[in-house]
Amino acid sequence: WSVVAMAVAAAFLLPLLPSSARSLFNGVPRDRHAPLEPRRRSPVGFALWVGLLHVAAGLLLLQFVQNIGRGGPAPQWQWLALACALTGLVGLVIWNYRLHGEVAYLAPSPELLTPQAAAWICVFMPLAGLLLPVQLGHVLNSAQRARISMGWLVFWSLLLPPVAMARLQHAVNQCGDARG
């Protein structure tokens, strides 16, 4: 099965071979994305929106604790937890997409992910998504657009990510105000 999987993967690479293989690494790279104009947002509002993911986890934990010894799970908190989780996930995707585009406008850097990549990473790789605010803070600090304490940003990114996102949103708001 692994040979079949490799053959299928190689079939996707066939259109790249003869004509464009030489220009893949020698040519000028295409623009990855258009940076987004920074817009001022409430850091607390986005932190609360993304914090709904933590509310969902707390509701499910509460349901688990209530149902210890009862034999079967009762669905009383499941719908509310699902609604909170989906709303929080939408907020996280929107925040990562917008902020990566805005930081690309404020401090262009090859270290930045494209907004689309940041949105996909926070959905499919949640642990890597926790470190996206750290990457954005590093880019803003290295471009000398903001002075963000990386120690505190890492601390909040690992302990309570909505706080790290609020701090970073505040820094981007200040950078956008200073530039505009």
Side-chain angles (χ1 to χ4, degrees):
W1 286 109
S2 63
V3 172
V4 171
M6 286 188 284
V8 169
F12 285 112
L13 296 175
L14 283 178
L16 298 176
L17 281 181
S19 62
S20 61
R22 295 187 191 274
S23 67
L24 283 178
F25 299 104
N26 296 334
V28 176
R30 66 176 178 86
D31 287 335
R32 298 184 308 155
H33 66 280
L36 303 173
E37 185 82 26
R39 286 191 300 181
R40 190 165 184 75
R41 281 184 209 80
S42 168
V44 175
F46 256 96
L48 291 175
W49 190 8
V50 173
L52 287 174
L53 286 169
H54 296 281
V55 170
L59 286 173
L60 291 175
L61 183 63
L62 177 66
Q63 178 183 349
F64 177 74
V65 168
Q66 285 180 347
N67 291 326
I68 293 177
R70 285 192 188 164
Q76 67 238 22
W77 300 107
Q78 289 177 352
W79 290 107
L80 182 60
L82 179 65
C84 287
L86 288 177
T87 306
L89 185 63
V90 167
L92 183 66
V93 169
I94 289 172
W95 184 83
N96 273 303
Y97 181 85
R98 289 292 312 171
L99 219 62
H100 275 80
E102 291 173 6
V103 170
Y105 179 85
L106 293 170
S109 172
E111 296 177 16
L112 274 176
L113 295 171
T114 63
Q116 295 90 356
W120 285 111
I121 283 175
C122 72
V123 171
F124 292 115
M125 296 172 42
L127 294 178
L130 293 176
L131 297 177
L132 287 176
V134 175
Q135 179 208 23
L136 291 172
H138 173 71
V139 168
L140 285 172
N141 279 346
S142 64
Q144 297 177 347
R145 295 282 182 203
R147 187 67 228 143
I148 302 168
S149 169
M150 292 305 292
W152 282 110
L153 194 61
V154 169
F155 174 77
W156 285 117
S157 291
L158 295 176
L159 184 66
L160 197 58
V163 173
M165 293 173 185
R167 291 174 57 92
L168 195 59
Q169 182 65 56
H170 178 70
V172 169
N173 286 346
Q174 286 180 334
C175 292
D177 290 345
R179 186 177 179 132

